[in-house]
Amino acid sequence: MFRPQPQREISHVFPSLMAQWRNTITTTKSTTKISPQNGNSLRTPSCSVKFQDLYDFTVEGNIDDVNVLNEVEERVRRQGKVWWALEASKGANWYLQPQISSNGEGISVASLKLSVLANTIALKKLIRKGIPPALRPKVWLSVSGATKKRSTVPESYYNDLIMATKGKVTPSTKQIDHDIPRTFPTHPWLDTPEGQASLRRVLVGYSFRDSEVGYCQGLNYVAALLLLVMRTEEDAFWMLAVLLENVLVNDCYTDNLSGCHVEQRVFKDLLSKKCPRIAAHLEALGFDVSLVATEWFLCLFSKCLPSETTLRVWDVLFNEGAKVLFQVALAIFKMKEEDLLKVHQIGDVINILHTTGHNLYDPDELLTVAFEKIGSLTTNTITKQRKKQEPTVMAELDQRLRRLGSLNLK
Amino acid sequence: MLNHKFDSVKQVLLGDVGTGKSSIVLRFVKGQFVEFQESTIGAAFFTRTLSMNDQTVKFEIWDTAGQERYHSLAPMYYRGAAAAIIAYDITNPATFTRAKKWVQELQAQGTAGIVMALAGNKADLLEARKVTAEEALAYAQENNLFFMETSAKAAINVNEIFHEIAKRLLQSQAPQQNTGGMILVEKAENQSKKASSCCS
């Protein structure tokens, strides 16, 4: 289906992807090369082209999209310089020092040092503007709490886990094996035996770490993207662990996805509060927003947004917590408010949301709306809302189970 | 159940993981097949319009995720659906058992009068067959569904199953005005494309 891709001027081949950030910012500008699909003139703005993004995903768009992507790459480079400058003035790894947890239970003012507070605020602002790809592994491990989590077990934990689970077959491993070749199958690294073996080990390892989650479809996309960013299996594994165990709502991926059902209800409530016109319009159409938002929350946007945009969302997700998912989901609706209000068919609604997501090559366009146009949204609010929705969700799921249980298969 | 204004039909695809639900839709909507179809999370949405004599039926298809734990999401997708395709893999008996459960659930919880089709997919893998056509046919007749063996890969019976659904939906309705004639053009294109790939 895909034509061969031209090589880019600066090789981004995994795993050396952006490994030498310091070098890339001083080398010549990397220009995304494009391959015309129909052999038409590239000057035609509507001409559809395929190109590779920062993380080597093949994307399809027009010349404008390529230009946006190049601009984003340039902005990423500039943002990298900001981080290096700060490192020079604040000392190496300043961002790895203790932070005030903003995705935890709150701030203990008494034990606060001014310098810590200043760093936390600076870091929050900086992370919202994007973490340079080369620094993502270090910063993510630190701000998400993954480093701390890892420090509680022996250093050989991951290797031991992989050795102990090697060759074992469970329903989870069967499902994982089924999904591995179907995970971003056009990505050049994930399409290789090495890439697939890495992804398999991370997912299988996790399925044994938490047998209640085991393996849930959707985690394949999340783990794949974590691998591309973290560059080592072990780091990807710990990010997956902290994500499922600390960052996201409980039971998001277990059993009957009850956590996911809770999030969807919270989201519906928020949409009617933050975007009442859209919510009312969609309700009149009989359109349940969960029809599209379920995938957003389970794949953490990795299937609906371009890679760098997804990772910018994850930058903030790991630092500020799961409330970010709501802000971003609301932003996607908010950005298209006028368009959505104009359409009256479900297919058109889905089309608008789908196209918007896929063409969001500029992460700042999305994040500006998410953090500045939605109004404040705190972790506390989300926690309260979840508590409110939980009983209804549980009752509904239970009722469904009992109904199905009464249908005895002949 | 047809929406009179647009002749659109909500249809859902259900079935166990890896039975080829997404491949069936992709074949029907785009005339394509890919060996490694990305796994569906939640559900994916597709449309295609078919014309039957002087009437058109616009299918709004929800292609759902197959993993067991996703089944708690299914009611959202089959709620109000006028038609359903329940897929199984003819090389995997467990998927046939799962298909029967879906049939039961739709009979109990689905829209009244829903048109159900049972699709024994991967019919190109005859040498690996584990579920006989006779068994499936007998089950389908007992339960008032229609049955076809399909192959999304080899383009066998995929368009046919949707045509049969459209036919049955239209039969169950009083004749209606054709309000979606403009989409006929799109349909003609699809047909000519299909014709050329058939002959190759």
Side-chain angles (χ1 to χ4, degrees):
Chain A
M1 214 58 62
F2 293 108
R3 284 160 175 261
Q5 298 297 318
Q7 287 301 307
R8 299 161 80 190
E9 285 178 19
I10 291 177
S11 170
H12 285 259
V13 177
F14 194 91
S16 62
L17 173 100
M18 299 246 168
Q20 298 301 317
W21 184 254
R22 283 170 201 275
N23 293 339
T24 59
I25 55 169
T26 54
T27 49
T28 50
K29 185 174 178 276
S30 123
T31 311
T32 306
K33 278 196 180 175
I34 49 178
S35 56
Q37 243 195 316
N38 315 317
N40 289 340
S41 161
L42 295 183
R43 285 185 200 115
T44 318
S46 60
C47 169
S48 173
V49 290
K50 285 179 179 174
F51 48 95
Q52 282 179 300
D53 68 10
L54 271 170
Y55 283 85
D56 282 349
F57 284 92
T58 302
V59 284
E60 216 174 320
N62 58 35
I63 295 293
D64 292 341
D65 297 327
V66 179
N67 289 336
V68 170
L69 208 82
N70 280 330
E71 202 187 300
V72 169
E73 286 191 30
E74 187 52 42
R75 223 180 296 152
V76 167
R77 261 186 291 276
R78 280 203 306 269
Q79 191 61 13
K81 286 181 185 169
V82 174
W83 281 74
W84 298 123
L86 274 168
E87 195 157 292
S89 66
K90 285 177 181 272
N93 298 340
W94 66 277
Y95 41 81
L96 304 186
Q97 287 152 20
Q99 303 296 325
I100 302 154
S101 158
S102 46
N103 60 19
E105 293 78 36
I107 299 167
S108 144
V109 183
S111 63
L112 216 61
K113 272 197 202 156
L114 208 58
S115 63
V116 174
L117 180 64
N119 274 353
T120 305
I121 293 168
L123 191 61
K124 182 176 169 180
K125 267 175 124 175
L126 206 54
I127 287 177
R128 284 190 174 193
K129 286 187 179 164
I131 303 171
L135 291 182
R136 270 195 179 121
K138 255 202 306 193
V139 179
W140 280 9
L141 283 168
S142 167
V143 297
S144 68
T147 304
K148 207 172 146 197
K149 189 177 267 296
R150 174 159 43 185
S151 71
T152 61
V153 295
E155 259 189 44
S156 60
Y157 178 94
Y158 180 74
N159 283 333
D160 295 346
L161 181 69
I162 296 309
M163 290 308 286
T165 57
K166 208 174 173 182
K168 289 200 175 158
V169 178
T170 65
S172 290
T173 65
K174 283 186 200 162
Q175 183 67 52
I176 290 167
D177 287 332
H178 186 80
D179 282 348
I180 294 279
R182 310 200 294 160
T183 309
F184 299 128
T186 55
H187 188 277
W189 183 69
L190 291 166
D191 193 31
T192 63
E194 302 78 48
Q196 298 193 352
S198 278
L199 179 57
R200 186 180 190 280
R201 281 189 294 269
V202 171
L203 289 170
V204 169
Y206 195 79
S207 78
F208 281 93
R209 174 180 168 92
D210 186 342
S211 55
E212 254 190 77
V213 171
Y215 168 70
C216 178
Q217 288 191 307
L219 292 179
N220 51 330
Y221 298 104
V222 173
L225 210 44
L226 283 173
L227 269 168
L228 292 176
V229 174
M230 304 305 289
R231 299 198 292 266
T232 76
E233 272 172 55
E234 195 172 349
D235 286 349
F237 173 85
W238 285 109
M239 286 311 297
L240 189 65
V242 81
L243 194 56
L244 269 60
E245 294 159 21
N246 305 83
V247 177
L248 300 178
V249 68
N250 286 338
D251 291 321
C252 199
Y253 298 96
T254 52
D255 192 18
N256 49 16
L257 310 178
S258 62
C260 174
H261 284 273
V262 170
E263 297 298 72
Q264 288 305 313
R265 284 181 163 264
V266 173
F267 177 60
K268 271 178 229 176
D269 250 31
L270 283 172
L271 189 75
S272 57
K273 280 192 194 108
K274 302 276 185 184
C275 312
R277 287 166 75 209
I278 301 176
H281 179 67
L282 295 182
E283 203 184 327
L285 294 183
F287 182 82
D288 184 338
V289 292
S290 299
L291 291 168
V292 291
T294 304
E295 185 213 86
W296 295 354
F297 279 73
L298 284 171
C299 299
L300 311 175
F301 300 102
S302 62
K303 260 174 84 85
C304 70
L305 295 176
S307 68
E308 177 61 15
T309 308
T310 305
L311 298 175
R312 284 284 303 277
V313 173
W314 290 15
D315 286 344
V316 195
L317 170 70
F318 290 130
N319 190 47
E320 298 184 33
K323 65 162 189 151
V324 170
L325 301 177
F326 295 92
Q327 288 170 304
V328 169
L330 288 168
I332 295 175
F333 279 93
K334 186 81 185 169
M335 286 171 87
K336 291 292 157 182
E337 179 155 19
E338 296 311 319
D339 293 349
L340 287 169
L341 292 175
K342 276 185 210 143
V343 297
H344 297 280
Q345 288 204 48
I346 286 176
D348 295 333
V349 173
I350 293 168
N351 207 9
I352 289 173
L353 295 171
H354 186 81
T355 315
T356 305
H358 277 265
N359 294 331
L360 268 169
Y361 295 107
D362 181 354
D364 292 298
E365 199 187 333
L366 174 67
L367 296 185
T368 307
V369 179
F371 299 126
E372 288 168 24
K373 305 249 166 77
I374 295 295
S376 87
L377 187 61
T378 64
T379 298
N380 258 342
T381 310
I382 300 292
T383 310
K384 272 188 205 151
Q385 287 294 318
R386 283 176 183 157
K387 285 218 173 90
K388 195 178 123 194
Q389 301 292 351
E390 255 168 29
T392 329
V393 168
M394 291 307 172
E396 271 182 19
L397 288 173
D398 190 51
Q399 202 187 0
R400 175 182 147 81
L401 270 185
R402 271 186 283 129
R403 265 202 314 256
L404 292 182
S406 67
L407 304 171
N408 281 323
L409 192 58
K410 280 170 240 166
Chain B
M1 210 47 57
L2 286 183
N3 179 328
H4 286 248
K5 211 165 160 195
F6 302 106
D7 289 349
S8 66
V9 170
K10 180 175 178 182
Q11 189 193 315
V12 64
L13 250 107
L14 298 165
D16 211 341
V17 70
T19 49
K21 297 176 292 300
S22 302
S23 295
I24 290 173
V25 184
L26 192 67
R27 171 62 73 190
F28 175 62
V29 174
K30 294 189 180 163
Q32 295 172 349
F33 178 82
V34 288
E35 197 64 49
F36 296 114
Q37 175 72 34
E38 280 201 11
S39 38
T40 309
I41 308 303
F45 180 80
F46 300 88
T47 59
R48 189 185 155 185
T49 302
L50 283 184
S51 74
M52 308 286 293
N53 303 321
D54 59 342
Q55 287 175 303
T56 62
V57 174
K58 184 181 179 194
F59 281 107
E60 298 186 334
I61 307 163
W62 285 102
D63 168 31
T64 63
Q67 198 183 9
E68 190 74 30
R69 63 188 77 185
Y70 277 88
H71 293 173
S72 62
L73 297 169
M76 176 164 76
Y77 301 107
Y78 67 63
R79 194 174 298 137
I85 292 180
I86 296 134
Y88 69 92
D89 169 359
I90 67 160
T91 71
N92 183 346
T95 64
F96 184 53
T97 307
R98 181 59 234 183
K100 291 181 191 171
K101 288 192 189 169
W102 277 124
V103 170
Q104 280 195 317
E105 180 168 344
L106 286 179
Q107 282 169 342
Q109 313 285 342
T111 321
I114 186 170
V115 172
M116 280 194 265
L118 182 66
N121 196 35
K122 307 198 184 177
D124 52 295
L125 303 174
L126 281 177
E127 64 288 357
R129 174 196 288 280
K130 296 271 170 56
V131 181
T132 64
E134 292 73 26
E135 187 187 351
L137 184 63
Y139 174 78
Q141 283 172 343
E142 251 172 64
N143 287 276
N144 199 24
L145 356 148
F146 73 92
F147 165 66
M148 279 187 188
E149 287 200 338
T150 55
S151 167
K153 189 174 185 175
I156 299 165
N157 274 349
V158 173
N159 282 326
E160 286 76 0
I161 206 166
F162 283 91
H163 270 98
E164 184 61 30
I165 288 172
K167 207 173 92 190
R168 287 177 185 233
L169 284 166
L170 292 170
Q171 274 168 3
S172 68
Q173 295 286 305
Q176 294 166 45
Q177 291 293 311
N178 176 6
T179 52
M182 61 194 183
I183 313 174
L184 285 170
V185 180
E186 187 185 299
K187 154 77 175 149
E189 276 172 9
N190 282 340
Q191 266 188 335
S192 60
K193 199 162 55 180
K194 194 199 135 209
S196 62
S197 63
C198 265
C199 304
S200 61

